Amino acid sequence: MEQQENQQTKPQTKQVTTAEYLNNIQDALMKQITEKIGAMPEGFNKDRFILNCITLIRDMLKDKKKRENLDGISADSIALCMIKGAFLGLDFLSGECYAIPYSKEMNFQTDYKGEIKICKKHSIQPIKDIFAKIVREGDLYDEGVEDGKQKLVFKPLPFNNGKVIGAFAIVTYTDGSMLYESMSAEEIEGVRQNYSKAKDSDAWKKSSGEMYRKTVIRRLSKYIEKDFDKVEQLMAYDEGGGVEFQNGLLSTSRKQTAALPEKVEPVDAFAFAKNNSNQIGGLVLEEIE
């Protein structure tokens, strides 16, 4: 009797095929886009965005570790993560932002390239250039104030593979003014350990240089006055920094999750669409040049 009760109370998962799994995600994306279409940036291409998202998830399923991390994450969580990239006009496939499966949720993070794109697009004061650099042992780095003006000198050693000791970011405006921010490696690691939602993710482990540059760009961006068109863009940008951010509008709804398919085979989204009357979840997919 007790064994039967335990079996009844044990959460049930539904085994799905790869096509069904991707279809569920696409349905959730369509729902989010339909509800938030007014928050999308000008020129938003719905079909391209959804196709890119499905391609990204399909590729993640081919990686054993990422596949394991995806197990148990609902289609709603994945869609809510990816829709934040749409709000900001960022592309997952080109590396402007990340969808990171972590702690049974899909987490949204901007990349170094995405941070620069957002600052250039939304800065009230026109930006001429913005970039960040890694500083290694042996590089010449000198910052300070001279005659009341900020000064920064950086001369890296050619092909220097020494230990990373810090990073800095600079923004120059079209009127000739500039701002900069610098952080030691210890400071950046402190941000990672104390504030990152995914401190042990592949983004930190395999692309630490990008994450160092992103972190210092993020700090510099606090001093860049930005004007977002929609509140959803501001909220997505806040969350994209990788720091815990909660708000009912973008919170992940936890529903019954489907178990991942036992075996994953390559899925061609276009071919799948054509074999199903050119539709996936009600969306007609067309090849985009």
Side-chain angles (χ1 to χ4, degrees), residues 39 59 70 75 82 86 88 107 149 168 172 185 216 231 242-243 258 281 288:
D59 290 344
L70 277 173
M82 292 183 152
L88 295 170
N107 297 275
K149 296 182 179 180
F168 68 92
T172 57
V216 73
V231 66
V243 178
I288 302 172

PDB file of all heavy atoms in Angstrom, residues 39 59 70 75 82 86 88 107 149 168 172 185 216 231 242-243 258 281 288:
ATOM      1  N   ALA A  39       6.487  45.271 -27.472  1.00  0.00           N
ATOM      2  CA  ALA A  39       7.773  45.547 -26.839  1.00  0.00           C
ATOM      3  C   ALA A  39       8.954  45.246 -27.750  1.00  0.00           C
ATOM      4  O   ALA A  39      10.105  45.482 -27.368  1.00  0.00           O
ATOM      5  CB  ALA A  39       7.910  44.720 -25.550  1.00  0.00           C
ATOM      6  N   ASP A  59      21.014  22.503 -31.416  1.00  0.00           N
ATOM      7  CA  ASP A  59      22.452  22.300 -31.297  1.00  0.00           C
ATOM      8  C   ASP A  59      22.845  21.955 -29.856  1.00  0.00           C
ATOM      9  O   ASP A  59      23.768  21.159 -29.632  1.00  0.00           O
ATOM     10  CB  ASP A  59      23.196  23.561 -31.748  1.00  0.00           C
ATOM     11  CG  ASP A  59      23.101  23.791 -33.252  1.00  0.00           C
ATOM     12  OD1 ASP A  59      22.733  22.840 -33.976  1.00  0.00           O
ATOM     13  OD2 ASP A  59      23.375  24.917 -33.699  1.00  0.00           O
ATOM     14  N   LEU A  70      19.633  20.745 -19.763  1.00  0.00           N
ATOM     15  CA  LEU A  70      18.310  21.100 -20.282  1.00  0.00           C
ATOM     16  C   LEU A  70      17.204  20.248 -19.672  1.00  0.00           C
ATOM     17  O   LEU A  70      16.052  20.687 -19.605  1.00  0.00           O
ATOM     18  CB  LEU A  70      18.273  20.931 -21.804  1.00  0.00           C
ATOM     19  CG  LEU A  70      18.803  22.064 -22.663  1.00  0.00           C
ATOM     20  CD1 LEU A  70      18.831  21.636 -24.128  1.00  0.00           C
ATOM     21  CD2 LEU A  70      17.954  23.317 -22.517  1.00  0.00           C
ATOM     22  N   ALA A  75       9.424  24.390 -21.350  1.00  0.00           N
ATOM     23  CA  ALA A  75       9.399  25.182 -22.585  1.00  0.00           C
ATOM     24  C   ALA A  75       9.133  26.653 -22.263  1.00  0.00           C
ATOM     25  O   ALA A  75       9.668  27.543 -22.930  1.00  0.00           O
ATOM     26  CB  ALA A  75       8.326  24.646 -23.533  1.00  0.00           C
ATOM     27  N   MET A  82      14.562  33.479 -23.908  1.00  0.00           N
ATOM     28  CA  MET A  82      14.904  33.904 -25.260  1.00  0.00           C
ATOM     29  C   MET A  82      14.170  35.173 -25.686  1.00  0.00           C
ATOM     30  O   MET A  82      14.682  35.957 -26.482  1.00  0.00           O
ATOM     31  CB  MET A  82      14.645  32.768 -26.241  1.00  0.00           C
ATOM     32  CG  MET A  82      15.609  31.609 -26.037  1.00  0.00           C
ATOM     33  SD  MET A  82      15.409  30.276 -27.221  1.00  0.00           S
ATOM     34  CE  MET A  82      17.091  29.614 -27.238  1.00  0.00           C
ATOM     35  N   ALA A  86      15.022  39.020 -27.772  1.00  0.00           N
ATOM     36  CA  ALA A  86      14.206  39.700 -28.779  1.00  0.00           C
ATOM     37  C   ALA A  86      13.929  41.137 -28.367  1.00  0.00           C
ATOM     38  O   ALA A  86      13.999  42.058 -29.198  1.00  0.00           O
ATOM     39  CB  ALA A  86      12.887  38.944 -28.978  1.00  0.00           C
ATOM     40  N   LEU A  88      15.747  43.136 -26.779  1.00  0.00           N
ATOM     41  CA  LEU A  88      16.949  43.949 -26.932  1.00  0.00           C
ATOM     42  C   LEU A  88      17.512  43.940 -28.344  1.00  0.00           C
ATOM     43  O   LEU A  88      18.507  44.612 -28.625  1.00  0.00           O
ATOM     44  CB  LEU A  88      18.026  43.474 -25.946  1.00  0.00           C
ATOM     45  CG  LEU A  88      17.683  43.669 -24.463  1.00  0.00           C
ATOM     46  CD1 LEU A  88      18.701  42.956 -23.586  1.00  0.00           C
ATOM     47  CD2 LEU A  88      17.630  45.150 -24.119  1.00  0.00           C
ATOM     48  N   ASN A 107      18.641  30.673 -18.223  1.00  0.00           N
ATOM     49  CA  ASN A 107      19.038  32.014 -17.808  1.00  0.00           C
ATOM     50  C   ASN A 107      19.546  32.831 -18.993  1.00  0.00           C
ATOM     51  O   ASN A 107      20.302  32.336 -19.827  1.00  0.00           O
ATOM     52  CB  ASN A 107      20.133  31.925 -16.742  1.00  0.00           C
ATOM     53  CG  ASN A 107      19.650  31.242 -15.478  1.00  0.00           C
ATOM     54  OD1 ASN A 107      19.072  31.876 -14.613  1.00  0.00           O
ATOM     55  ND2 ASN A 107      19.866  29.941 -15.367  1.00  0.00           N
ATOM     56  N   LYS A 149      41.966  66.213 -16.428  1.00  0.00           N
ATOM     57  CA  LYS A 149      41.374  65.334 -17.423  1.00  0.00           C
ATOM     58  C   LYS A 149      41.798  63.887 -17.171  1.00  0.00           C
ATOM     59  O   LYS A 149      42.931  63.630 -16.770  1.00  0.00           O
ATOM     60  CB  LYS A 149      41.796  65.745 -18.839  1.00  0.00           C
ATOM     61  CG  LYS A 149      41.290  67.129 -19.252  1.00  0.00           C
ATOM     62  CD  LYS A 149      41.712  67.447 -20.677  1.00  0.00           C
ATOM     63  CE  LYS A 149      41.203  68.817 -21.113  1.00  0.00           C
ATOM     64  NZ  LYS A 149      41.605  69.144 -22.512  1.00  0.00           N
ATOM     65  N   PHE A 168      39.810  46.727 -18.520  1.00  0.00           N
ATOM     66  CA  PHE A 168      39.296  48.097 -18.505  1.00  0.00           C
ATOM     67  C   PHE A 168      38.406  48.302 -19.721  1.00  0.00           C
ATOM     68  O   PHE A 168      38.469  47.562 -20.714  1.00  0.00           O
ATOM     69  CB  PHE A 168      40.436  49.122 -18.505  1.00  0.00           C
ATOM     70  CG  PHE A 168      41.234  49.180 -19.777  1.00  0.00           C
ATOM     71  CD1 PHE A 168      40.898  50.068 -20.793  1.00  0.00           C
ATOM     72  CD2 PHE A 168      42.330  48.345 -19.966  1.00  0.00           C
ATOM     73  CE1 PHE A 168      41.636  50.126 -21.976  1.00  0.00           C
ATOM     74  CE2 PHE A 168      43.074  48.387 -21.135  1.00  0.00           C
ATOM     75  CZ  PHE A 168      42.727  49.286 -22.151  1.00  0.00           C
ATOM     76  N   THR A 172      34.141  56.542 -25.869  1.00  0.00           N
ATOM     77  CA  THR A 172      34.420  57.888 -26.380  1.00  0.00           C
ATOM     78  C   THR A 172      33.173  58.377 -27.109  1.00  0.00           C
ATOM     79  O   THR A 172      32.521  57.619 -27.833  1.00  0.00           O
ATOM     80  CB  THR A 172      35.618  57.883 -27.348  1.00  0.00           C
ATOM     81  OG1 THR A 172      35.363  56.974 -28.429  1.00  0.00           O
ATOM     82  CG2 THR A 172      36.888  57.463 -26.633  1.00  0.00           C
ATOM     83  N   ALA A 185      41.468  41.653 -11.616  1.00  0.00           N
ATOM     84  CA  ALA A 185      40.971  40.289 -11.783  1.00  0.00           C
ATOM     85  C   ALA A 185      40.253  39.825 -10.524  1.00  0.00           C
ATOM     86  O   ALA A 185      39.243  39.115 -10.594  1.00  0.00           O
ATOM     87  CB  ALA A 185      42.128  39.349 -12.120  1.00  0.00           C
ATOM     88  N   VAL A 216      33.447  44.447 -17.040  1.00  0.00           N
ATOM     89  CA  VAL A 216      33.921  45.829 -16.896  1.00  0.00           C
ATOM     90  C   VAL A 216      33.111  46.781 -17.771  1.00  0.00           C
ATOM     91  O   VAL A 216      32.871  47.940 -17.402  1.00  0.00           O
ATOM     92  CB  VAL A 216      35.435  45.926 -17.195  1.00  0.00           C
ATOM     93  CG1 VAL A 216      35.741  45.790 -18.672  1.00  0.00           C
ATOM     94  CG2 VAL A 216      36.015  47.219 -16.633  1.00  0.00           C
ATOM     95  N   VAL A 231       9.742  49.305 -21.217  1.00  0.00           N
ATOM     96  CA  VAL A 231      10.166  48.827 -19.900  1.00  0.00           C
ATOM     97  C   VAL A 231      10.704  47.397 -19.995  1.00  0.00           C
ATOM     98  O   VAL A 231      11.618  47.012 -19.251  1.00  0.00           O
ATOM     99  CB  VAL A 231       9.001  48.904 -18.886  1.00  0.00           C
ATOM    100  CG1 VAL A 231       7.877  47.939 -19.257  1.00  0.00           C
ATOM    101  CG2 VAL A 231       9.498  48.624 -17.477  1.00  0.00           C
ATOM    102  N   GLY A 242      23.587  39.016 -15.675  1.00  0.00           N
ATOM    103  CA  GLY A 242      23.930  37.767 -14.993  1.00  0.00           C
ATOM    104  C   GLY A 242      23.730  37.827 -13.500  1.00  0.00           C
ATOM    105  O   GLY A 242      24.058  36.888 -12.789  1.00  0.00           O
ATOM    106  N   VAL A 243      23.152  38.917 -12.992  1.00  0.00           N
ATOM    107  CA  VAL A 243      22.895  39.067 -11.567  1.00  0.00           C
ATOM    108  C   VAL A 243      21.437  38.720 -11.308  1.00  0.00           C
ATOM    109  O   VAL A 243      20.575  38.952 -12.154  1.00  0.00           O
ATOM    110  CB  VAL A 243      23.189  40.511 -11.109  1.00  0.00           C
ATOM    111  CG1 VAL A 243      22.886  40.687  -9.629  1.00  0.00           C
ATOM    112  CG2 VAL A 243      24.640  40.846 -11.390  1.00  0.00           C
ATOM    113  N   ALA A 258       8.520  18.108 -19.441  1.00  0.00           N
ATOM    114  CA  ALA A 258       8.592  16.884 -20.234  1.00  0.00           C
ATOM    115  C   ALA A 258      10.009  16.368 -20.232  1.00  0.00           C
ATOM    116  O   ALA A 258      10.960  17.139 -20.331  1.00  0.00           O
ATOM    117  CB  ALA A 258       8.139  17.161 -21.669  1.00  0.00           C
ATOM    118  N   GLY A 281       3.897  24.268 -35.058  1.00  0.00           N
ATOM    119  CA  GLY A 281       3.165  25.007 -34.053  1.00  0.00           C
ATOM    120  C   GLY A 281       2.384  26.164 -34.640  1.00  0.00           C
ATOM    121  O   GLY A 281       2.200  27.189 -33.999  1.00  0.00           O
ATOM    122  N   ILE A 288      15.460  31.836 -45.045  1.00  0.00           N
ATOM    123  CA  ILE A 288      15.813  33.253 -45.114  1.00  0.00           C
ATOM    124  C   ILE A 288      17.217  33.367 -45.640  1.00  0.00           C
ATOM    125  O   ILE A 288      18.141  32.743 -45.125  1.00  0.00           O
ATOM    126  CB  ILE A 288      15.727  33.892 -43.713  1.00  0.00           C
ATOM    127  CG1 ILE A 288      14.294  33.711 -43.170  1.00  0.00           C
ATOM    128  CG2 ILE A 288      16.089  35.359 -43.752  1.00  0.00           C
ATOM    129  CD1 ILE A 288      14.149  34.137 -41.736  1.00  0.00           C
TER     130      ILE A 288
END
